[in-house]
Amino acid sequence: MSKFSISRLGKELYTGEKSFDFVGRRMLWYAVSAVVLVAVVLGVSLQGINLGIDFTGGTRYTVTVAQADQELADDLRTAVGDTAVEAADGATVRTAGPKSIVIETKAIPDNSEADNSLMEAITKTADVAEDDVSRTGIGPSWGQRVASKAALALGIFLVGVVLFIWIYFREWKMSVAAVVALLHDVVITVGVYAIVGFEVTPATVTGFLTILGYSLYDTVVVFDKVKENTRNLSQKKQTYAYAANLAINQTLVRSVNTSIIGLLPVVAILYVSAVQLGTSSLKDISLVLFIGMAVGTYSSIFIATPLLVHLKSKEKDVVDAEKRAAARMKEADKYAAVPVFNEGMPVAEGDEPDELSDAPSEDLHEAGVSRGTSPNRSATGRGRNVPDQHREVSDSGAAGRPQPKRESRSKRK
């Protein structure tokens, strides 16, 4: 689509010349979100969330090498997996900078047979000395503290969101709609993360908190336009639902453009981290940002504002606006929809013109036929009522007598 057509579309959406019915089809959007939420909840319950070593505890080996690349990381992953150490099954191997490779496994006792076996495989594959491999044990208690701090931060954030929107818009129902949209984004993002099987790390938690702010930003922009359109609603000839839907259309192009611009660098980071760097913190945070930003744009358009209209549908001002709109529809001029006659317009049966209607008035008069003898057809609409016909029109007795003629003054005797 050309730049001109996009700007023209944005203008038509802003002025209301063109409009997409987001609010009127809210039940469809609710159904779509419900299906997605059920799918992701089933995915989490059946597959579970792949928590990283920072949350479950384990052992981390950091190998210092001359040049850390993905090929060496893959070789180390294969060497560790080929050992007979059960705790090393499914070990995570990733690069950490240009000269470090990190290997994470389940908890392995220090200086045990399994620990020595892994150290031998690592030093042999990476061609380094044992002094170049540092070993760190991580207990599950540290991961629990990280999880509790993240939950606390999420709770504080949600409370702050409710208070901010309530104070700024002076409308608690907007707070409810915004929080529901945020929870919708979090649940879907967590579910997709679980279905894909990516490991949840502290970087992932950081990404979750980031997408909450992004989703809220887009929702507040739409709500601000809703507030502007619905101000003094009793004095406007529109309903709350129409004004809210207009607000979504007015901010639609902006929301889509902002999302695309925000997603492009995230996609680039995700590609570089997943393809070139392998498993890394960049991949964890970029994936959650990509999913969350896309879902956040969807929820701000299809969930937050339609839900707000749903919550306010029973308020007196909103109901009164609906009644006034219905009354104006009844008072609309029905003749405004009458089609204009064109040449070649098909004629319905029974609409053929009467042969007498084309005859001159003198011929009709001599035949004793008056134009008023046709059946009376009453019109409807204010100021257009025709009196009903009380009796049939009979022939006049004067029709057979000579009628006076009106002549010009020069011919009069």
Side-chain angles (χ1 to χ4, degrees):
M1 185 178 291
S2 64
K3 180 179 179 181
F4 174 77
S5 59
I6 291 178
S7 61
R8 181 177 180 181
L9 175 62
K11 180 181 178 181
E12 291 176 348
L13 291 174
Y14 193 88
T15 58
E17 298 177 33
K18 183 175 294 184
S19 178
F20 299 103
D21 191 8
F22 297 104
V23 173
R25 299 179 180 177
R26 58 179 177 266
M27 299 308 298
L28 174 62
W29 317 134
Y30 294 165
V32 171
S33 294
V35 171
V36 175
L37 289 173
V38 170
V40 297
V41 169
L42 288 177
V44 172
S45 59
L46 296 177
Q47 189 168 344
I49 301 176
N50 183 19
L51 296 175
I53 188 176
D54 297 294
F55 296 98
T56 60
T59 303
R60 176 179 295 156
Y61 297 89
T62 303
V63 186
T64 302
V65 294
Q67 180 63 40
D69 52 25
Q70 188 59 39
E71 183 179 357
L72 180 57
D74 293 338
D75 293 340
L76 285 172
R77 182 182 296 107
T78 302
V80 170
D82 290 341
T83 62
V85 180
E86 184 177 354
D89 292 340
T92 301
V93 182
R94 57 183 174 85
T95 58
K99 295 185 178 182
S100 297
I101 295 179
V102 176
I103 303 171
E104 296 176 343
T105 66
K106 296 179 182 179
I108 298 176
D110 191 10
N111 295 325
S112 62
E113 182 179 352
D115 181 51
N116 295 332
S117 177
L118 281 179
M119 289 290 289
E120 181 181 356
I122 292 171
T123 54
K124 182 178 180 180
T125 304
D127 192 18
V128 295
E130 290 189 6
D131 294 338
D132 295 328
V133 181
S134 61
R135 180 186 182 281
T136 305
I138 300 175
S141 59
W142 188 86
Q144 293 175 359
R145 287 197 301 271
V146 172
S148 62
K149 295 295 184 182
L152 178 61
L154 178 60
I156 295 174
F157 179 82
L158 293 178
V159 172
V161 167
V162 172
L163 293 177
F164 168 76
I165 296 180
W166 194 350
I167 294 173
Y168 180 75
F169 293 107
R170 301 181 183 277
E171 177 61 71
W172 66 269
K173 292 181 180 179
M174 284 189 174
S175 299
V176 173
V179 170
V180 170
L182 286 175
L183 295 177
H184 168 274
D185 300 343
V186 171
V187 173
I188 292 181
T189 306
V190 171
V192 173
Y193 226 83
I195 293 174
V196 173
F198 276 31
E199 186 180 46
V200 177
T201 64
T204 307
V205 176
T206 304
F208 276 120
L209 297 177
T210 304
I211 64 172
L212 294 179
Y214 184 89
S215 176
L216 176 65
Y217 168 75
D218 209 20
T219 301
V220 168
V221 170
V222 180
F223 280 1
D224 189 62
K225 201 63 182 177
V226 172
K227 180 183 177 181
E228 178 183 341
N229 291 350
T230 56
R231 186 180 291 114
N232 299 325
L233 186 63
S234 60
Q235 302 176 7
K236 296 182 179 180
K237 297 181 179 180
Q238 60 186 14
T239 63
Y240 190 92
Y242 174 84
N245 192 75
L246 178 61
I248 301 176
N249 283 274
Q250 289 174 329
T251 57
L252 181 62
V253 174
R254 175 195 174 283
S255 297
V256 173
N257 289 341
T258 303
S259 300
I260 293 176
I261 293 173
L263 285 173
L264 286 177
V266 174
V267 171
I269 295 173
L270 180 61
Y271 172 79
V272 171
S273 59
V275 176
Q276 298 183 358
L277 300 180
T279 304
S280 64
S281 299
L282 283 177
K283 185 178 72 173
D284 299 335
I285 194 171
S286 59
L287 177 64
V288 71
L289 284 176
F290 177 80
I291 299 172
M293 291 171 65
V295 177
T297 303
Y298 169 84
S299 66
S300 63
I301 297 174
F302 296 93
I303 301 298
T305 307
L307 179 59
L308 172 63
V309 175
H310 198 166
L311 293 174
K312 292 181 67 67
S313 60
K314 301 300 181 182
E315 292 186 2
K316 184 179 183 303
D317 294 343
V318 177
V319 174
D320 291 343
E322 295 283 351
K323 291 181 179 179
R324 288 193 297 270
R328 285 192 296 270
M329 290 295 293
K330 290 182 180 180
E331 294 176 359
D333 187 1
K334 296 183 179 180
Y335 283 91
V338 175
V340 180
F341 175 77
N342 312 341
E343 291 294 337
M345 177 181 290
V347 180
E349 184 178 354
D351 289 344
E352 291 82 358
D354 192 352
E355 294 180 358
L356 295 177
S357 63
D358 297 333
S361 300
E362 293 79 2
D363 296 343
L364 294 176
H365 185 72
E366 292 178 0
V369 179
S370 173
R371 290 187 184 273
T373 60
S374 61
N376 180 35
R377 296 181 181 179
S378 61
T380 59
R382 179 175 296 180
R384 299 173 184 262
N385 295 329
V386 178
D388 295 333
Q389 182 174 311
H390 298 289
R391 61 185 178 84
E392 296 183 359
V393 180
S394 59
D395 294 338
S396 173
R401 296 196 299 270
Q403 300 296 320
K405 297 181 179 179
R406 183 177 181 85
E407 297 179 347
S408 62
R409 181 174 299 180
S410 62
K411 293 182 180 181
R412 293 178 187 174
K413 295 181 180 180

